[in-house]
Amino acid sequence: MIIVGGSSSYELAEELADCMGVGCIRASTKRFPDGECYTRIECDTIDDHVVVVQNTYPDGDLVEMLLIQDAIKSLGAKTVACVIPYFGYARQDRLFNPGEPESAKVMARMLEMNTDHVVTVDLHKQDTLRWFSCPAVDVKAAPAIGEFFSDHEVDIVLSPDIGARSRAEEVGKIMGVDSDHLQKTRLSGMDVRIAPANVDVGGKNVLIVDDMISTGGTIVAASNELKKVGAERVYVACTHGLFVQDALQRMACVDEVVCCNTVMSEVSRISVAPLVAKALKETQ
Ligand code: R5P
């Protein structure tokens, strides 16, 4: 087996290769002056099973993934598995209004064209896996998040909404602490309202876990609400830290924000490589 890292995920690809004891090639990717993507896997043939590691967000990274898949097939790879650390467009997973596309389905259908097997990490909705006709598994980052926070004296783990409750439960179980959820209403793309917590957080250290942080609006509202009702410390962990615009600065009210290395940023301190390696080994 050989790992090929796309430009969004070179570090993760290398770490994954270390975990699996196999070699790693970096795809040489650049942009033409007009923005189009050029990529090359610098070898003559690949007589092996290949695992590509590359995000499908933002759009440029999706195009790079499609081009890498084709290049690997041309080199003669026996099979191609795609590790998609952050699968873009997963939030538009159904029709909310007539005339909309099912974006997650569109992405899955495109990506499976040159793929024998897909591994994602903390998909927004598990349901999305059904759009792949090849074998597809979603790796849960909760064990890595729970382990990272095990030295933080966390009293309770909360999700910002009921949809993410099972993630909070899983992290809480690993840490041996209680878990619950808050109630979120989205007001606009940037702002959300969090209802007063049903759970008593007075004097407690709270860990909020979510699958992703985009504008930071959810976390700011949740943290403000928790501090208002007496939480001592508010830690935040997410799998995918997109941190659009000034999201990290916006979250200055939080005591600590960390995310996984599915999307790289200054706070990508939790590695999912061992969990992804395990999932790949189980499917061999
Ligand atoms: C929504 O359902 C997701 O799980 C996240 O809570 C959301 O995408 C976070 O977005 P933002 O950081 O913009 O509030």
Side-chain angles (χ1 to χ4, degrees):
M1 176 187 287
I2 188 151
I3 312 276
V4 171
S7 66
S8 71
S9 310
Y10 287 145
E11 293 87 349
L12 178 57
E14 274 159 11
E15 210 184 321
L16 188 57
D18 278 351
C19 290
M20 302 195 71
V22 300
C24 183
I25 305 175
R26 283 179 171 222
S28 305
T29 300
K30 62 180 189 181
R31 297 270 155 195
F32 289 108
D34 61 6
E36 286 188 353
C37 180
Y38 169 88
T39 193
R40 183 171 174 218
I41 318 301
E42 296 191 25
C43 55
D44 296 329
T45 56
I46 299 183
D47 182 24
D48 207 341
H49 300 279
V50 176
V51 176
V52 186
V53 188
Q54 169 72 1
N55 285 337
T56 59
Y57 163 94
D59 294 356
D61 286 351
L62 165 70
V63 171
E64 184 182 338
M65 169 65 109
L66 297 171
L67 298 180
I68 291 174
Q69 288 176 329
D70 188 68
I72 288 168
K73 284 268 175 182
S74 305
L75 286 168
K78 289 179 177 157
T79 58
V80 180
C82 288
V83 172
I84 308 172
Y86 177 59
F87 181 92
Y89 291 90
R91 282 169 290 183
Q92 180 76 25
D93 59 333
R94 62 190 166 92
L95 302 183
F96 296 93
N97 296 293
E100 290 176 347
E102 289 175 276
S103 307
K105 177 184 79 180
V106 175
M107 298 304 143
R109 294 275 156 88
M110 251 197 304
L111 287 159
E112 72 176 9
M113 280 189 310
N114 276 320
T115 307
D116 299 288
H117 178 205
V118 170
V119 178
T120 55
V121 182
D122 275 355
L123 271 175
H124 185 62
K125 293 257 176 67
Q126 287 301 295
D127 260 13
T128 300
L129 291 179
R130 78 185 186 285
W131 298 120
F132 289 102
S133 49
C134 59
V137 292
D138 187 50
V139 169
K140 304 275 170 288
I145 293 173
E147 198 181 311
F148 181 90
F149 278 95
S150 56
D151 62 354
H152 275 60
E153 295 184 5
V154 167
D155 299 303
I156 186 162
V157 182
L158 296 178
S159 62
D161 55 36
I162 193 162
R165 168 85 191 244
S166 61
R167 184 171 293 110
E169 270 170 14
E170 228 175 304
V171 174
K173 225 179 267 168
I174 287 154
M175 300 178 70
V177 301
D178 287 342
S179 60
D180 211 316
H181 67 275
L182 298 167
Q183 274 177 27
K184 160 176 155 180
T185 310
R186 182 161 287 283
L187 305 175
S188 70
M190 294 282 280
D191 295 303
V192 308
R193 184 175 54 228
I194 297 282
N198 284 328
V199 54
D200 177 17
V201 295
K204 293 184 180 167
N205 293 336
V206 182
L207 170 62
I208 306 173
V209 290
D210 207 353
D211 60 335
M212 71 178 77
I213 297 174
S214 179
T215 66
T218 300
I219 295 304
V220 170
S223 173
N224 287 341
E225 180 56 37
L226 292 169
K227 292 252 169 138
K228 200 162 83 189
V229 293
E232 180 71 21
R233 299 188 135 247
V234 176
Y235 303 116
V236 170
C238 74
T239 308
H240 314 294
L242 307 185
F243 305 132
V244 303
Q245 296 165 13
D246 60 348
L248 276 170
Q249 289 89 316
R250 238 186 132 191
M251 291 185 291
C253 52
V254 170
D255 292 282
E256 186 176 350
V257 180
V258 293
C259 66
C260 296
N261 57 352
T262 54
V263 180
M264 291 309 290
S265 73
E266 63 194 86
V267 296
S268 303
R269 296 175 56 205
I270 304 175
S271 180
V272 295
L275 297 167
V276 173
K278 186 166 170 273
L280 285 169
K281 281 180 192 154
E282 281 168 4
T283 56
Q284 272 174 359

